[in-house]
Amino acid sequence: GISKVGYYTGNGSATERTITLGFQPRFILVKNISLAKAWFIFDTTRGWGSGNDEALYLNANTAQQGGDNFGAPTSTGFTITSSSDNFNGNNDKYIYYAHA
């Protein structure tokens, strides 16, 4: 597979958690569907996985924003290392689109 659409439920913890896709993504779009939050895009071209992740917000006309460690791609999916409501709020639901 080269792409996958799915969902996960946040746990509110900054302890690393892994979402398994079956491939290593280079691009991911994440949206919290429990709260009115932004659509976030991460990709390896901008440095996703470097610890200084740059994100684009689809619903804003601002430049990319970075300086945080939200997670990283793995050989079979991606990790989340943030307790932010944008990516991992406790019991919040998230949808994602990932592409290799």
Side-chain angles (χ1 to χ4, degrees), residues 15-65:
T15 302
E16 182 176 292
R17 63 180 297 186
T18 301
I19 307 300
T20 303
L21 306 171
F23 60 90
Q24 182 173 353
R26 293 183 301 174
F27 171 96
I28 189 162
L29 169 67
V30 177
K31 170 73 170 104
N32 182 329
I33 59 172
S34 298
L35 301 171
K37 296 291 182 176
W39 292 84
F40 292 91
I41 293 178
F42 296 102
D43 63 77
T44 55
T45 301
R46 259 184 286 287
W48 177 38
S50 67
N52 185 22
D53 301 332
E54 298 288 341
L56 290 175
Y57 303 83
L58 287 184
N59 59 324
N61 61 359
T62 59
Q64 68 185 15
Q65 297 180 14

Side-chain angles (χ1 to χ4, degrees), residues 9 45 54 75 94:
T9 301
T45 301
E54 298 288 341
S75 62
Y94 298 85

